Amino acid sequence: VLQNFLPRKGQLGLYVFGDLVMTFVAVLALFYSFETLLTSIKFGSVTHGLRISQAWFLAAVPIGFSMVLFRLLQSLKRDISMWNTNEPIYHGVKLFD
């Protein structure tokens, strides 16, 4: 739907802008999730029922946002490399028909 309203460079600019905004959000979330994880490790907090270190569960958030950040950097690289070429813009693949 975006291709109907904006020229090619406008579409790419919007995609790059969206990737940059999401990169900022992912870095922010990564920073604060590491802070929580390090606090849990420092004080040795454990789960209530199983007495397993809570750090194992809290580590899921920084790991997840690290993967999001990696994917965003891939997307930024692809979108910026398309800027001076005539390749068709990558709009994703349909999941369902």
Side-chain angles (χ1 to χ4, degrees), residues 37-85:
L37 176 63
L38 294 177
T39 301
S40 175
I41 292 171
K42 178 180 178 182
F43 291 107
S45 60
V46 294
T47 60
H48 297 291
L50 297 174
R51 299 284 183 208
I52 299 172
S53 175
Q54 210 167 9
W56 287 106
F57 302 102
L58 292 174
V61 179
I63 291 170
F65 274 105
S66 297
M67 290 190 292
V68 167
L69 198 55
F70 177 72
R71 183 65 188 105
L72 281 166
L73 292 175
Q74 283 180 330
S75 179
L76 264 171
K77 180 182 175 225
R78 181 192 61 229
D79 291 342
I80 291 172
S81 70
M82 285 184 172
W83 193 264
N84 290 324
T85 65

Side-chain angles (χ1 to χ4, degrees), residues 9-24 72 76 79-80 83:
K9 297 264 184 176
Q11 292 175 39
L12 283 172
L14 202 55
Y15 283 143
V16 169
F17 176 72
D19 287 344
L20 289 174
V21 169
M22 282 309 302
T23 300
F24 174 75
L72 281 166
L76 264 171
D79 291 342
I80 291 172
W83 193 264

